[in-house]
Amino acid sequence: MGNFDLETQVKRDDIGNLEYELEPGSLREAHLPTFSSAEMNFKTAPAIVDSVVKAAKSGIFGFTLSDKHYRQAVAWWMKTQRKHPIDQEWIVPTLGTIFSVATCIRMTLKNKDDCLIVQPPVYERYKQAADRLERKTVFNPLKHNLDGTYSIDFTDLAEKMKDPHNKLLILCNPHNPLGKVWSKEDLEKIADLAIKHQVVVFSDEIFADYTFDQHDVYPYFLINDGKNNGISAIGLGKTFNFTGVNHAIMLIKDPKLRQQFTEQRTRDHYGSLDPLVRAAVLGAYTPAGAAWKDAVSALIVSNYQQLKEVFELILPEVKLTPLEGGYITWADWRAWKMSDTNLLKFLTDQALFLPESGRNFNLNQDGFMRINLAISKSVMTKALVKLQKAIKELRQREVRITLKPFDHARQLEFIAEFKTVKYQAGDLFDTLPESVATCPSAQYDHDTLKFLSNGHNVAYHFEKVQGSNGVERRYIFDQAVIGNLQVIGRLTSRARDLFSWRSWNEFFAT
């Protein structure tokens, strides 16, 4: 990983760090980070630290301009690292990416019926910004392809952009949480629609300095020679682990759009640069900063390969999206047929491995998790060892299914036996949906259902909720269950051949 220290763990318990404050105690005790945030668990580039310390020692913290040195640094970075020369007049500094999203919302969505377009699963704070400004959000859901990749639904996007109320599209490139880089052809299609329907496109490119396998991010604001109604957002946030610093850089080629944005930024009370932010930019956008970024890039690739190899070995049913950009990957756990609540409980309590639920990305579906890859190599290895151990122990639990015909073959009686389980009072046992995924026409006779632990009845109650397969009953234990668990009941179906040993063993085993 070069000559940079990407291993030393920083003590965070007394610096007000949000990730540390939200981290479960079990992970703290094991000295493991969460994999849910999109922050690095190691220090930023030495070139930034040196530049900020030098500025602080000057003792001057007055109003600071985005002067020629600042603009030259940004232009140098875009030319050498993103491979796209820019004019310095296109640079518009702001107080952050979401601050700038809010500026765009105020600039474009003048009426309460005007809407923001986002492409879920996607970073939730875009919608949050619209909610806080009392504006609506409409979804252009990405298509989940059979090979596990994602693509833009341009037919739906065209319909959304055609609506005159939908005046602003937030494009995320590389896409968070998918790690997907949109191609130049995709961007050209978006730009054509944006021009046709007069929709402003805000392209969040804060992950764009980390791209892999020739998947370079083409800056949206340069597409079609600037005829794209576009603004591109870049900055130190993700590249240099600066998410807690209120600063981002907007790149706007169109003079009219740049003037509109700058005027709205002023109305949003933007004043001047933070003097330490200026120092950070001048330290980051240098050959030394680029060398540090390259070392982190190599670490991300190594961590992704390690994670992928471990998952292929112990979790072949869980699929990861390809690593194209950023330092996150999207994991499809749907084969486990578990709610996110229970899956996260297992991963946190048993595996000490905490990703982020896909439901936090405007996704109304269980079974998807975002995993951070910007983790020190030794910590990643330690975390994956613990994950492998927990999965191995889970696989060793015995599940035995007994099925027999009942009541003229329209019903089946079943006994599912689980060994070495551990539940606390109030825990959820949610593997019994109202409509079974493997047997769609089968229903449980809930009056006959009972739970036994070591031969004794287990007290429980249930709640009805709306799930992906319709109405589901979530069973909640009223007492602790430690040891063996039997689930006994009857199933009713109009088609007896739907019941098979294979499907039932697969269903309960997950």
Side-chain angles (χ1 to χ4, degrees):
M1 307 306 172
N3 297 319
F4 298 100
D5 179 9
L6 305 181
E7 280 293 330
T8 299
Q9 304 301 294
V10 179
K11 189 172 180 290
R12 301 187 183 203
D13 58 350
D14 58 356
I15 60 174
N17 181 258
L18 178 65
E19 181 179 349
Y20 176 84
E21 296 298 332
L22 297 179
E23 185 177 25
S26 58
L27 297 184
R28 288 186 195 174
E29 292 172 6
H31 302 291
L32 288 171
T34 72
F35 285 79
S36 58
S37 70
E39 293 185 8
M40 302 169 184
N41 78 322
F42 43 84
K43 297 178 182 181
T44 190
I48 293 178
V49 175
D50 293 343
S51 184
V52 170
V53 168
K54 179 181 178 181
K57 286 184 175 180
S58 76
I60 302 298
F61 301 96
F63 292 114
T64 304
L65 301 176
S66 52
D67 62 358
K68 67 176 183 179
H69 302 291
Y70 172 92
R71 293 176 179 275
Q72 286 170 356
V74 174
W76 179 87
W77 187 265
M78 286 298 297
K79 180 179 180 180
T80 62
Q81 304 305 303
R82 294 285 301 276
K83 311 303 182 187
H84 291 278
I86 64 171
D87 289 350
Q88 293 181 28
E89 65 178 7
W90 301 343
I91 299 168
V92 182
T94 72
L95 296 178
T97 304
I98 301 303
F99 173 93
S100 301
V101 169
T103 296
C104 282
I105 291 172
R106 293 186 184 98
M107 180 182 74
T108 58
L109 310 184
K110 300 293 187 181
N111 302 310
K112 286 207 170 185
D113 289 336
D114 292 339
C115 301
L116 171 74
I117 306 172
V118 299
Q119 299 175 306
V122 72
Y123 188 48
E124 191 273 339
R125 289 192 65 197
Y126 305 141
K127 181 179 181 298
Q128 182 190 76
D131 290 344
R132 289 175 174 177
L133 293 170
E134 299 182 342
R135 293 298 182 265
K136 300 174 184 177
T137 300
V138 298
F139 294 154
N140 166 229
L142 298 175
K143 294 192 291 187
H144 194 183
N145 304 313
L146 292 177
D147 62 358
T149 61
Y150 286 78
S151 56
I152 296 172
D153 186 341
F154 280 102
T155 301
D156 180 72
L157 181 59
E159 287 299 313
K160 294 295 192 307
M161 284 193 172
K162 188 189 301 182
D163 187 329
H165 292 297
N166 302 337
K167 298 178 179 178
L168 176 61
L169 168 69
I170 305 296
L171 179 69
C172 193
N173 191 23
H175 191 88
N176 179 9
L178 304 179
K180 169 76 177 178
V181 171
W182 303 117
S183 69
K184 186 179 180 183
E185 290 72 22
D186 288 333
L187 303 183
E188 288 170 343
K189 290 180 182 179
I190 292 172
D192 289 342
L193 290 171
I195 292 295
K196 179 179 180 180
H197 299 295
Q198 287 302 293
V199 173
V200 172
V201 179
F202 182 97
S203 180
D204 181 349
E205 299 170 19
I206 61 173
F207 272 115
D209 288 322
Y210 293 111
T211 57
F212 312 97
D213 293 334
Q214 314 301 307
H215 292 287
D216 294 335
V217 174
Y218 196 99
Y220 178 82
F221 83 107
L222 294 178
I223 287 289
N224 292 351
D225 195 29
K227 299 180 178 67
N228 50 54
N229 284 1
I231 298 170
S232 289
I234 66 169
L236 307 187
K238 298 303 182 184
T239 307
F240 291 99
N241 207 26
F242 251 61
T243 54
V245 177
N246 294 324
H247 175 259
I249 301 160
M250 302 302 111
L251 301 175
I252 313 172
K253 184 174 183 179
D254 183 289
K256 182 179 178 181
L257 182 59
R258 186 168 64 249
Q259 180 180 355
Q260 290 175 336
F261 180 88
T262 304
E263 289 175 352
Q264 183 62 56
R265 180 196 65 166
T266 300
R267 288 192 291 272
D268 292 345
H269 306 290
Y270 175 85
S272 63
L273 277 180
D274 181 317
L276 297 185
V277 164
R278 177 185 178 277
V281 169
L282 267 59
Y285 290 164
T286 60
W292 185 88
K293 184 261 297 182
D294 290 343
V296 174
S297 183
L299 174 66
I300 294 166
V301 172
S302 176
N303 282 346
Y304 177 77
Q305 292 298 332
Q306 185 179 9
L307 181 72
K308 189 178 181 198
E309 289 170 6
V310 169
F311 272 47
E312 288 174 349
L313 177 65
I314 64 169
L315 291 167
E317 69 278 16
V318 177
K319 306 303 180 184
L320 302 177
T321 52
L323 178 64
E324 296 182 3
Y327 45 81
I328 47 179
T329 188
W330 186 243
D332 181 351
W333 295 76
R334 287 178 298 170
W336 277 42
K337 299 185 177 72
M338 289 178 71
S339 68
D340 282 12
T341 300
N342 276 10
L343 178 55
L344 287 171
K345 179 176 175 58
F346 163 73
L347 290 173
T348 304
D349 294 349
Q350 306 299 320
L352 300 180
F353 187 90
L354 179 58
E356 184 162 6
S357 168
R359 287 187 173 273
N360 294 338
F361 298 90
N362 301 134
L363 186 69
N364 188 29
Q365 182 181 8
D366 285 332
F368 292 90
M369 298 283 160
R370 186 186 75 170
I371 300 173
N372 180 21
L373 299 169
I375 302 292
S376 300
K377 175 54 68 177
S378 62
V379 175
M380 173 65 83
T381 300
K382 179 181 177 181
L384 291 179
V385 167
K386 290 187 178 296
L387 177 63
Q388 290 183 76
K389 182 175 182 291
I391 297 298
K392 182 178 180 181
E393 291 175 352
L394 181 68
R395 300 292 194 205
Q396 289 174 342
R397 294 179 184 175
E398 296 182 24
V399 181
R400 184 166 62 87
I401 312 298
T402 304
L403 295 172
K404 60 181 180 180
F406 184 84
D407 186 22
H408 306 294
R410 288 188 65 252
Q411 286 191 334
L412 287 178
E413 190 172 77
F414 71 88
I415 301 175
E417 298 181 80
F418 301 82
K419 291 191 175 181
T420 63
V421 300
K422 182 177 180 180
Y423 293 94
Q424 303 295 328
D427 281 356
L428 190 69
F429 183 87
D430 66 347
T431 57
L432 298 175
E434 190 93 359
S435 178
V436 183
T438 49
C439 302
S441 69
Q443 285 190 329
Y444 292 97
D445 181 350
H446 296 284
D447 292 335
T448 68
L449 191 67
K450 59 182 177 180
F451 296 89
L452 283 79
S453 177
N454 302 320
H456 299 286
N457 283 320
V458 176
Y460 69 92
H461 66 281
F462 65 84
E463 298 173 351
K464 285 190 175 183
V465 297
Q466 186 67 35
S468 57
N469 294 315
V471 176
E472 297 178 357
R473 292 197 183 199
R474 298 289 171 89
Y475 291 87
I476 301 165
F477 292 120
D478 295 329
Q479 64 184 78
V481 180
I482 301 175
N484 299 335
L485 175 69
Q486 285 186 323
V487 185
I488 302 174
R490 294 175 190 167
L491 296 142
T492 303
S493 175
R494 298 190 210 112
R496 183 178 171 223
D497 60 0
L498 287 173
F499 298 107
S500 70
W501 281 93
R502 174 177 170 78
S503 64
W504 276 98
N505 274 291
E506 286 181 350
F507 179 72
F508 279 106
T510 57

